[in-house]
Amino acid sequence: PVPPSEHSKRQEDRRPQEPTNMGSRRSSSHPWRRYFARYLDNSIYATLLFTIMGGDWRAINSESFGLYTLLIGAALAVPIETVLLATFGTTAAKFLFGISVSRTDGRDPSLVESCIRSLNVWVRGLGLGIPIVVMFCNYYSYRDLKTHGESDWDRNLGLRVTHRTWNAGRVV
């Protein structure tokens, strides 16, 4: 038989080690930082889409532009975000806001995990941008994040979102 202290030591050795990212912490969920990072990323994707469409401001006034932008924007954002998360563990805006996504072992999420996460964010977190639906999705996502300290999609995929310490330099 193994003495109790040896048994508990063996159990601790099996637990995944916390990654040692300098300046990172996971003490709180930071929903507003995540919200603003998401919308800055979406603005970047919209600008990219607008540029791809030729940068014609008259197109914005067309009746179909909203739906067209919504569908194409989501179709453009999901693959871009998927590749960025799988490669760097962050996106442009997440980087600026000090946010990164990783597996619990500290590695970047796989391409499949990143894709599933991005699709979940667009469908369950943003309601595909559909007016009224997006309000409910944002509310429930916010409540879930505040209650559990992590989003449902991150929890289900075994992903961790870390936030670097917020300081004056990062705010600027």
Side-chain angles (χ1 to χ4, degrees):
V2 177
S5 61
E6 276 297 311
H7 178 69
S8 58
K9 185 174 183 335
R10 286 185 189 171
Q11 292 293 16
E12 287 176 13
D13 290 342
R14 291 184 195 157
R15 292 185 191 139
Q17 297 295 313
E18 284 287 321
T20 56
N21 295 336
M22 289 181 55
S24 292
R25 61 187 179 92
R26 189 178 179 220
S27 61
S28 115
S29 55
H30 298 286
W32 291 108
R33 276 171 65 180
R34 292 172 68 160
Y35 176 85
F36 288 118
R38 166 67 49 196
Y39 279 92
L40 180 56
D41 274 333
N42 288 349
S43 297
I44 293 168
Y45 303 145
T47 301
L48 183 59
L49 173 63
F50 185 70
T51 303
I52 290 169
M53 292 174 54
D56 185 2
W57 287 101
R58 291 173 293 182
I60 293 175
N61 295 326
S62 73
E63 292 177 14
S64 63
F65 183 79
L67 180 61
Y68 181 70
T69 303
L70 177 68
L71 296 175
I72 302 294
L76 183 66
V78 168
I80 290 172
E81 183 172 286
T82 295
V83 170
L84 290 173
L85 288 178
T87 307
F88 304 109
T90 193
T91 62
K94 281 181 181 61
F95 175 78
L96 291 173
F97 281 82
I99 301 168
S100 62
V101 179
S102 64
R103 293 176 174 174
T104 54
D105 64 6
R107 293 182 299 149
D108 290 338
S110 70
L111 205 56
V112 170
E113 290 166 332
S114 297
C115 185
I116 292 169
R117 182 184 193 277
S118 296
L119 286 169
N120 272 294
V121 168
W122 272 96
V123 174
R124 296 170 53 206
L126 297 171
L128 295 172
I130 299 168
I132 307 299
V133 174
V134 72
M135 290 183 343
F136 289 104
C137 289
N138 280 178
Y139 170 75
Y140 287 113
S141 297
Y142 174 85
R143 193 176 75 181
D144 182 55
L145 185 59
K146 289 301 282 183
T147 301
H148 299 286
E150 59 188 347
S151 298
D152 183 52
W153 43 83
D154 292 326
R155 197 168 43 252
N156 291 340
L157 289 168
L159 298 176
R160 171 194 338 238
V161 177
T162 54
H163 305 85
R164 274 185 258 135
T165 305
W166 198 251
N167 57 36
R170 188 158 301 284
V171 171
V172 173

